[in-house]
């Protein structure tokens, strides 16, 4: 089995959002043993604030919480295109097993849905895979921004140049030569 190496996990931060301290402790112990940095939030609003402040690589999100449920937290983070939170992968970790809740989670923007009790190895594989996917998305976004900048610069240069007179000069000098 391919386990995440400590070096691949050491720079990855996981935000665990769950109102149940025992659930947070279980997930954090399983992930910290693999080298992941852990941030915890005890409710939905705190989870949103932590996500915006700390920019985690992935979020493990409970559904049933008293202040804001996980579906609303997920929607809030995924719809915020003014910040980076829309790029953070979210795994909904919940005791809810019915298909309707999985559909609601996916519609809210969740990337994965894990039912409790979860299998540790499955959790680790999903976390590792989604972190790799997030890093690839971020890299693509950076490249897109670089290309957009180059396009804007070339457009600005083209508007500053009088191509007609430049071509006429080149033709005259070529004929004179």
């Amino acid at each position: 089995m391919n386990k995440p190496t400590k070096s691949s996990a050491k720079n990855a931060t996981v935000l665990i959002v769950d109102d149940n301290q025992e659930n947070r402790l279980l997930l954090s112990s399983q992930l910290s043993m693999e080298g992941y940095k852990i941030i915890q939030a005890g409710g939905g609003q705190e989870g949103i604030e932590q996500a915006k402040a700390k920019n985690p690589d992935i979020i493990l999100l409970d559904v049933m919480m008293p202040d804001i449920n996980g579906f609303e937290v997920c929607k809030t983070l995924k719809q915020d295109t003014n910040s980076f939170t829309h790029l953070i992968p979210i795994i909904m970790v919940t005791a809810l097993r019915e298909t309707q809740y999985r559909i609601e989670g996916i519609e809210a923007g969740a990337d994965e849905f894990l039912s409790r009790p979860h299998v540790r190895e499955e959790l680790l594989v999903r976390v590792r895979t989604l972190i790799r996917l997030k890093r690839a998305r971020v890299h693509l976004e950076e490249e897109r921004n670089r290309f957009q900048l180059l396009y804007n610069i070339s457009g600005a240069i083209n508007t500053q140049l009088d191509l007609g007179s430049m071509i006429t000069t080149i033709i005259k000098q070529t004929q004179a030569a």
Side-chain angles (χ1 to χ4, degrees):
M1 172 177 66
N2 287 337
K3 288 177 64 175
T5 62
K6 299 263 189 229
S7 63
S8 69
K10 75 178 176 182
N11 295 324
T13 301
V14 179
L15 171 58
I16 300 170
V17 184
D18 196 320
D19 61 315
N20 184 310
Q21 185 177 0
E22 292 171 359
N23 291 340
R24 290 193 315 268
L25 181 61
L26 174 64
L27 290 168
S28 65
S29 65
Q30 289 175 337
L31 293 166
S32 62
M33 285 182 359
E34 299 299 320
Y36 293 101
K37 295 176 189 171
I38 306 299
I39 304 168
Q40 295 185 33
Q45 186 58 45
E46 183 185 357
I48 292 169
E49 292 165 7
Q50 289 277 22
K52 289 182 178 186
K54 306 285 175 121
N55 187 20
D57 292 291
I58 192 166
I59 298 171
L60 302 182
L61 179 60
D62 183 29
V63 173
M64 298 179 294
M65 294 183 287
D67 60 342
I68 304 174
N69 73 44
F71 299 128
E72 290 303 316
V73 171
C74 187
K75 281 181 201 169
T76 300
L77 294 173
K78 291 295 187 171
Q79 291 174 354
D80 187 359
T81 56
N82 293 326
S83 74
F84 49 82
T85 61
H86 68 283
L87 295 174
I88 302 171
I90 296 176
I91 299 177
M92 307 290 275
V93 184
T94 183
L96 299 173
R97 296 181 175 273
E98 293 80 13
T99 304
Q100 71 190 54
Y101 297 116
R102 290 180 178 272
I103 292 169
E104 188 173 351
I106 292 167
E107 287 176 344
D111 297 275
E112 287 280 354
F113 202 96
L114 206 59
S115 295
R116 285 194 180 108
H118 66 274
V119 176
R120 179 180 174 275
E121 290 76 20
E122 181 182 13
L123 170 72
L124 295 175
V125 166
R126 289 179 187 217
V127 166
R128 184 174 62 244
T129 301
L130 287 172
I131 288 173
R132 268 192 254 143
L133 181 61
K134 180 204 178 197
R135 289 179 176 169
R137 283 181 189 157
V138 167
H139 179 72
L140 284 173
E141 185 80 12
E142 289 169 352
E143 288 298 312
R144 188 191 68 76
N145 290 341
R146 282 190 196 106
F147 283 126
Q148 185 64 49
L149 176 62
L150 288 173
Y151 177 78
N152 293 344
I153 290 171
S154 70
I157 290 171
N158 285 339
T159 59
Q160 298 296 320
L161 297 176
D162 182 2
L163 294 178
S165 67
M166 189 186 319
I167 290 173
T168 303
T169 303
I170 291 171
I171 291 172
K172 286 181 183 176
Q173 289 181 0
T174 304
Q175 288 173 344

